[in-house]
Amino acid sequence: NAGVTQTPKFRVLKTGQSMTLLCAQDMNHEYMYWYRQDPGMGLRLIHYSVGEGTTAKGEVPDGYNVSRLKKQNFLLGLESAAPSQTSVYFCASRQERESSEAFFGQGTRLTVV
Amino acid sequence: AQSVSQHNHHVILSEAASLELGCNYSYGGTVNLFWYVQYPGQHLQLLLKYFSGDPLVKGIKGFEAEFIKSKFSFNLRKPSVQWSDTAEYFCAVSPYSGAGSYQLTFGKGTKLSVIP
């Protein structure tokens, strides 16, 4: 039972490079989220999706794009990485019903130099 | 939009001490409430949740939380902490139902250090 799987787990980028983080869930959840976690800032929502083919901006969307072409996958893209995007990125998914909790991936530690 | 406030940034306790972590939220309607724990180097895991019924909720590893609607609070408690409880704790809120039920907002977290 994989749950929520994120790839890669670690990455170092140079400023200006691009990359895509992949999140895959096998629980048939409707909702998916990308958060970034920085010391003292908690989890801040970057983008989210309420179903296949839908995406929306969260609290800190600038510099990121997302796509949800398949229900089980939620991709987070950085078109031109900046040092301010050095962070730990977490993907999460939830069922579309009351009281459902979010399940988290193991995280991706990204360093932009 | 809802928001979550966790009052303590870092709490340091000795083993066997009692724990209470504060969480207040702002939202005008009915909510689901969650506490998550993040052990060092790991992802977030659910400790407990409240969505209806008894406002005193029991979770894993001896944790419990009490929902006080009049105070918009959902404080986390444990009678006797262990060194293995050293972690960061996050409170989160989500609207109970309706168009905004996908929203899931986290507090900034409270880091707990337990000294053996």
Side-chain angles (χ1 to χ4, degrees), chain A:
Chain A
N1 185 8
V4 180
T5 303
Q6 290 182 232
T7 53
K9 290 185 170 49
F10 302 94
R11 185 73 185 270
V12 178
L13 284 182
K14 294 182 179 179
T15 298
Q17 286 186 319
S18 63
M19 78 164 293
T20 300
L21 282 67
L22 171 64
C23 177
Q25 53 98 0
D26 62 1
M27 296 173 283
N28 201 36
H29 287 171
E30 287 294 332
Y31 301 157
M32 295 188 75
Y33 310 81
W34 276 108
Y35 292 89
R36 60 176 290 174
Q37 183 179 28
D38 304 289
M41 303 295 289
L43 279 83
R44 292 183 291 171
L45 182 63
I46 305 171
H47 286 280
Y48 63 93
S49 168
V50 298
E52 180 179 316
T54 75
T55 63
K57 294 180 180 180
E59 181 186 355
V60 289
D62 293 344
Y64 305 95
N65 56 75
V66 287
S67 64
R68 185 133 180 237
L69 300 179
K70 294 183 179 181
K71 187 176 182 179
Q72 63 267 34
N73 296 337
F74 195 30
L75 279 64
L76 178 71
L78 285 74
E79 290 185 347
S80 179
S84 61
Q85 293 177 304
T86 293
S87 186
V88 180
Y89 293 85
F90 286 100
C91 176
S93 70
R94 287 174 83 190
Q95 286 183 319
E96 184 191 9
R97 63 174 175 82
E98 293 87 356
S99 82
S100 64
E101 71 264 31
F103 293 82
F104 283 82
Q106 296 283 348
T108 296
R109 183 173 294 275
L110 175 66
T111 303
V112 183
V113 298

Side-chain angles (χ1 to χ4, degrees), chain B residues 7-96:
Chain B
H7 314 298
N8 308 101
H9 177 62
H10 192 185
V11 173
I12 303 172
L13 294 174
S14 298
E15 274 192 318
S18 63
L19 170 72
E20 180 160 4
L21 301 182
C23 172
N24 285 91
Y25 68 93
S26 66
Y27 183 71
T30 305
V31 293
N32 295 316
L33 293 158
F34 309 87
W35 275 99
Y36 283 84
V37 61
Q38 184 180 31
Y39 298 104
Q42 296 189 25
H43 64 294
L44 276 75
Q45 304 169 51
L46 183 71
L47 264 182
L48 49 79
K49 66 180 181 182
Y50 170 83
F51 59 96
S52 67
D54 190 343
L56 185 61
V57 179
K58 295 192 183 300
I60 61 172
K61 304 187 180 186
F63 286 91
E64 65 178 30
E66 184 176 13
F67 171 49
I68 303 179
K69 188 175 181 180
S70 61
K71 295 185 178 180
F72 297 90
S73 70
F74 190 54
N75 292 352
L76 181 71
R77 299 195 292 246
K78 186 171 184 179
S80 176
V81 295
Q82 301 173 322
W83 178 79
S84 57
D85 294 325
T86 295
E88 192 157 15
Y89 294 81
F90 293 92
C91 182
V93 63
S94 174
Y96 182 73

